[in-house]
């Protein structure tokens, strides 16, 4: 453990309530491409405006729904990594001590839930949920690839992935619960996020302005690195197990 990790762990042990925000970085060690990683990130291959906006879906529902279904099927082959598992263990440990813990994610892969995390706030929806554009019917899709694109609802309506696209509002309850959680906590962790997409990144700003302890785990600088309490450089699947082990003693 680096001394920075030791100091972050020491204060985490003393914290009464914790909130965590995660991004695509925490799932990269599970084999899910991030968005902004230079060569391997999705945005290195695709233009977000062509795939992750309501306009794109309207323009080409076949291409957009096929792309999201490919991502859904890729995630189906992936498993939580030690970073996801460490956060699930930290939640169990803190809750057993009567402390509060809230996990907020930008990720749409539900690997946190697969690792055992409970009450996860999904700011940007999920790849597993598909919704009819006509009757609004939502279903969880855990099966094989749809095969025909765009998928159709029994009512004949087009079905879209249950994710939040750029230019779309986040689920009101989710962002409200996230802001409330950050307001009530005395320790905040920002894990594997480039911290550039809003309003999610605004939660980091909120924690810094509330002057709580902020731990950032990221392999490079983010727009907030100079203002957090501890900016730990590293991969979440290696750093988080060390810090959580120091806190839980096992
Ligand atoms: C909205 C779901 C109201 C879909 C996603 C204020 C200022 C500027 C712009 C805006 C603003 N407010 C609103 C905007 C516009 C926009 C926005 O933020 N644009 C950005 C690009 C500037 N926001 C919106 O449109 C939001 N809606 O505001 O509605 C409104 C409406 C109209 C007009 C104005 C406002 C909706 C945003 C949500 C979009 N949907 N995802 C899908 O998945 O396809 S966002 C998507 O991208 C992810 O969910 C995530 O949020 C974001 C990617 O960020 P990260 O998760 O951080 O991932 P990234 O790849 O960037 O970074 C990961 C990094 O991890 C890597 O780069 C690498 O360095 C690191 N890493 C790699 N391995 C590891 C690691 N780290 C740790 N460990 C490792 N092992
Ligand atoms: Zn329908």
């Amino acid at each position: 453990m680096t001394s920075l990790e030791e100091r972050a762990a020491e204060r985490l042990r003393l914290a009464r309530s914790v909130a965590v925000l995660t991004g695509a970085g925490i799932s990269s060690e599970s084999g899910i491409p991030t968005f902004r990683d230079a060569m391997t990130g999705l945005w290195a291959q695709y233009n977000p405006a062509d795939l992750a906006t309501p306009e794109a879906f309207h323009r080409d529902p076949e291409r957009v729904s096929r792309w999201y279904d490919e991502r859904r099927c890729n995630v189906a082959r992936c498993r939580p990594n030690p970073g996801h598992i460490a956060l699930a263990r930290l939640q169990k440990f803190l809750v057993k001590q009567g402390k509060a813990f809230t996990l907020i994610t930008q990720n749409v892969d539900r690997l946190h839930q697969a690792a055992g995390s409970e009450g996860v706030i999904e700011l940007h929806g999920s790849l597993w949920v598909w919704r009819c554009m006509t009757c609004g019917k939502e279903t969880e899709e855990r099966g094989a690839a749809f095969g025909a694109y765009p998928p159709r609802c029994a009512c004949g309506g087009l079905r879209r992935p249950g994710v939040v696209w750029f230019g779309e509002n986040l689920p009101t309850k989710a962002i409200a619960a996230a802001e409330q959680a950050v307001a009530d906590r005395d320790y905040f962790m920002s894990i594997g996020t480039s911290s550039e997409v809003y309003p999610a990144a605004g939660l980091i700003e909120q924690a810094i302005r509330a002057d709580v302890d902020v731990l950032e785990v990221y392999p490079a600088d983010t727009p907030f690195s100079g203002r957090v309490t501890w900016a730990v450089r590293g991969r979440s699947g290696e750093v988080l197990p060390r810090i959580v082990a120091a806190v839980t003693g096992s």
Side-chain angles (χ1 to χ4, degrees):
M1 283 248 284
T2 66
S3 60
L4 204 57
E5 289 174 13
E6 271 163 12
R7 289 204 300 278
E10 181 49 39
R11 291 272 277 279
L12 181 54
R13 217 192 327 273
L14 304 171
R16 288 186 318 287
S17 56
V18 177
V20 180
L21 174 70
T22 63
I26 198 168
S27 291
S28 71
E29 291 161 84
S30 295
I32 298 177
T34 67
F35 294 78
R36 279 176 182 71
D37 266 321
M39 304 315 295
T40 58
L42 291 170
W43 300 151
Q45 300 151 52
Y46 309 98
N47 172 351
D50 294 345
L51 288 158
T53 64
E55 296 76 21
F57 184 76
H58 186 71
R59 247 191 338 266
D60 191 345
E62 189 270 338
R63 180 173 181 231
V64 171
S65 57
R66 181 187 297 279
W67 185 64
Y68 278 96
D69 197 37
E70 279 162 10
R71 287 175 57 189
R72 178 182 70 91
C73 295
N74 174 51
V75 169
R77 290 186 288 270
C78 299
R79 293 288 161 273
N81 66 62
H84 298 107
I85 294 160
L87 290 179
R89 289 187 53 235
L90 178 63
Q91 177 176 32
K92 285 187 180 50
F93 177 82
L94 293 175
V95 168
K96 217 172 15 206
Q97 294 186 323
K99 294 179 176 180
F101 179 95
T102 304
L103 179 51
I104 305 157
T105 190
Q106 298 168 78
N107 300 344
V108 292
D109 55 36
R110 290 199 172 161
L111 287 182
H112 284 303
Q113 292 91 331
S117 288
E118 289 164 5
V120 179
I121 297 176
E122 295 180 318
L123 293 178
H124 297 161
S126 173
L127 278 173
W128 298 108
V129 175
W130 287 63
R131 184 170 66 244
C132 174
M133 305 277 285
T134 306
C135 71
K137 187 163 173 285
E138 281 198 349
T139 50
E140 174 136 352
E141 297 292 343
R142 292 275 172 181
F146 293 137
Y149 301 96
R152 292 272 174 187
C153 172
C155 80
L158 286 184
R159 303 179 68 216
R160 57 160 287 172
V163 299
V164 177
W165 281 323
F166 287 97
E168 287 188 321
N169 290 318
L170 276 58
T172 315
K173 279 210 313 296
I175 190 67
E179 286 164 352
Q180 190 57 52
V182 174
D184 300 346
R185 299 291 175 266
D186 61 9
Y187 197 104
F188 183 82
M189 302 163 81
S190 170
I191 311 291
T193 178
S194 58
S195 315
E196 296 180 6
V197 170
Y198 284 76
L203 298 169
I204 305 166
E205 180 73 41
Q206 181 190 341
I208 290 169
R209 287 184 184 201
D211 205 19
V212 302
D213 290 326
V214 178
L215 165 63
E216 179 188 75
V217 178
Y218 196 70
D221 268 354
T222 75
F224 297 99
S225 299
R227 300 165 57 206
V228 300
T229 317
W230 308 282
V232 173
R233 292 280 160 275
R235 294 150 56 88
S236 49
E238 292 155 9
V239 172
L240 289 175
R242 288 197 294 263
I243 290 179
V244 171
V247 171
T248 61
S250 61

